Amino acid sequence: MKTPRFVSIAVALLALTVFACPLAAQEKAASDGKHLGTWKLVSTKYGTATDFTKRGEESVRLKLITATHFTWVEVENSSKKVVASAGGKYTMSGATYTETIDFAGDGMEAFLGKPQKFTVKVEGDKLTQSGELSNGLKIEEIWERMK
């Protein structure tokens, strides 16, 4: 006796649901949402630098992180002109935060479509993001939550 096609499909969907729900729950547990919000970059350590450099007053860099996407923009304070930007989708698994740049402003085109893998730690209103860009540049950034 042949099993009707809809029964086979229903069994397959049930199996997917049983296996996918625990994975989704694990991902949700791994990411407590503390990284979500609007952040202002306050200090950086790039390349071989051993000390953090406080951001100057000539521009402000803001990063917006939603449940599925990120965007950052750098705005020149005097002209209010956007001088750099990028954004796209990201994934979060535990402390591993991987951005994939889907759009980019001038100077960021080389990163389009390439995953950028970081470690993210949130303590209070401070987010630390560190890792190595796809071009090999090591970065460590400290962001403060905007209120």
Side-chain angles (χ1 to χ4, degrees), residues 50-123:
T50 56
D51 296 318
F52 279 95
T53 301
K54 186 177 178 184
R55 292 279 300 178
E57 299 295 321
E58 62 278 349
S59 66
V60 63
R61 184 174 293 183
L62 300 176
K63 184 172 204 162
L64 293 84
I65 305 174
T66 70
T68 58
H69 290 76
F70 75 97
T71 300
W72 64 261
V73 296
E74 184 152 345
V75 179
E76 187 177 73
N77 286 329
S78 61
S79 68
K80 303 300 181 199
K81 180 180 176 184
V82 173
V83 294
S85 64
K89 297 179 208 82
Y90 75 89
T91 60
M92 185 86 164
S93 179
T96 302
Y97 170 79
T98 305
E99 298 178 341
T100 300
I101 296 179
D102 295 328
F103 62 88
D106 291 344
M108 294 298 296
E109 299 92 336
F111 298 101
L112 282 168
K114 297 177 182 173
Q116 310 298 317
K117 190 174 181 178
F118 306 102
T119 298
V120 168
K121 180 171 71 171
V122 179
E123 294 176 324

